[in-house]
Amino acid sequence: MDPAKPTFRAATKADVPALVTLIERAYRGDESRAGWTTEADLLGGQRTDPDMVAAVVDDASGRLLVADADGVPVACCQLENRGGHAYFGMFAVDPGVQGGGLGRRVLAEAERVAREEWGADEMRMTVITVRAELIAWYERRGYVRTGEKQPFPYGDERFGLPKRDDLEFELLVKKLA
């Protein structure tokens, strides 16, 4: 499997189980510690579930972009066309191949889709503010911190079980035009 040369495609319903596994492996539990995007020290519980992933697959205003290596999903991200700008989320790269440039390729393809296929002039995302290393990674790719913050959904176990009481999201933005 060569994750350096992925094939990109839109997810289908048949992909939901594999994508849930991929997202969980990238963010939760001990297996996620093999990569650098783990949230295992911040959150327990689930990152997503089949219903949440299926809802993204079914959303007519966007797509769940999949990066395959030899027919196996190794990365994915959610894209939403929000009229003039796109939202980027649910980004996951298999922890076994993190650090090799695959994440940059997925982000670049997501930006291309938003710009060329949807005519979006801006990409937006939210990142947990205590994820300094991840925010720095996005900043190196042209994203800017806005200072606009949103509370973490404490009490909603669909998004995980917080291990800290200081979690919040910050909006990051990149001009695509």
Side-chain angles (χ1 to χ4, degrees):
M1 169 168 52
D2 185 3
K5 298 178 183 176
T7 303
F8 293 103
R9 63 180 177 81
T12 67
K13 286 267 199 195
D15 294 312
V16 169
L19 294 176
V20 169
T21 299
L22 171 67
I23 294 163
E24 290 297 312
R25 287 185 65 232
Y27 289 96
R28 297 292 198 275
D30 287 337
E31 195 172 8
S32 70
R33 295 179 195 282
W36 67 274
T37 61
T38 184
E39 294 175 344
D41 293 330
L42 304 175
L43 297 156
Q46 70 178 35
R47 175 66 152 66
T48 193
D49 62 35
D51 290 339
M52 292 168 71
V53 173
V56 175
V57 170
D58 289 342
D59 186 354
S61 69
R63 74 179 62 154
L64 187 53
L65 183 66
V66 177
D68 283 335
D70 298 330
V72 176
V74 290
C76 67
C77 69
Q78 171 189 10
L79 288 171
E80 282 183 36
N81 184 350
R82 294 187 175 175
H85 76 272
Y87 178 79
F88 177 84
M90 206 177 280
F91 186 28
V93 176
D94 185 292
V97 297
Q98 288 180 19
L102 179 58
R104 283 191 301 274
R105 288 178 186 82
V106 173
L107 184 60
E109 177 64 8
E111 291 170 355
R112 185 201 66 76
V113 167
R115 183 180 54 253
E116 295 178 13
E117 295 183 24
W118 298 343
D121 62 1
E122 187 175 85
M123 183 78 84
R124 298 179 186 180
M125 69 177 74
T126 55
V127 180
I128 297 174
T129 57
V130 297
R131 303 285 318 274
E133 186 177 354
L134 182 59
I135 290 171
W137 186 86
Y138 285 120
E139 287 177 316
R140 289 191 300 274
R141 277 138 199 90
Y143 287 80
V144 176
R145 297 180 80 161
T146 64
E148 184 179 320
K149 300 196 176 149
Q150 302 168 357
F152 185 85
Y154 285 93
D156 189 340
E157 292 184 10
R158 295 178 305 152
F159 300 101
L161 303 170
K163 296 179 178 182
R164 300 172 54 151
D165 63 2
D166 62 344
L167 302 180
E168 62 183 348
F169 295 103
E170 182 172 357
L171 178 66
L172 277 61
V173 176
K174 179 179 179 178
K175 296 290 183 194
L176 299 177

